[in-house]
Amino acid sequence: MEKTFNFAAKIESMEDQDIRWQQRFDNFRKAYLRLMEARDKLVLNELERNGLIQRFEFTIELAWKVMKDYLECQGFAFKPSPKDTFRQAQEAKYIDYAQELIDGLNIRNELAHDYDEVKFEQSEIELRNNIFPALDKLNDFFEKEYANA
């Protein structure tokens, strides 16, 4: 039996990929905006700290996933781990702050497995000084890409 190329199916598949990263970006943007609300409050009680951590965890998780979907849409094929995704995005010159995002993944992992007051206070400084600005840049990048899609 002879194989035939189904051009319509290929176009549909490409459109699904485009839609996937855009839909994931919509979710990222919602999580990012909620994180920014929590970030704007400088003095946090314990409950608010827990909320900040939870919002950060959602946001950094969606950050790598939307980047993975975006890179796949651009034709990249790679092992889609969170850190490799950010490294690939930097190698492709889409971003120049992969290390800050990777540091954010590391903080997420540390806080998810061992939450204590002292560890959070140390991590909060890193989050506010380096990770949140990187998430700001990532949001700006995707806002532009989304507008051009």
Side-chain angles (χ1 to χ4, degrees), residues 22-71:
Q22 292 169 359
Q23 289 173 336
R24 184 103 63 182
F25 174 62
D26 285 338
N27 290 329
F28 168 80
R29 182 176 21 205
K30 290 172 190 171
Y32 167 80
L33 292 173
R34 288 200 170 106
L35 175 62
M36 295 307 103
E37 288 172 3
R39 174 183 75 174
D40 290 344
K41 188 165 186 179
L42 299 179
V43 179
L44 304 173
N45 64 37
E46 184 178 353
L47 184 60
E48 292 166 330
R49 262 192 204 105
N50 291 339
L52 178 70
I53 291 168
Q54 189 69 52
R55 287 179 180 191
F56 167 68
E57 289 173 351
F58 289 152
T59 305
I60 197 72
E61 182 71 14
L62 286 166
W64 87 263
K65 287 181 177 180
V66 70
M67 182 57 79
K68 174 190 72 75
D69 291 342
Y70 178 81
L71 290 173

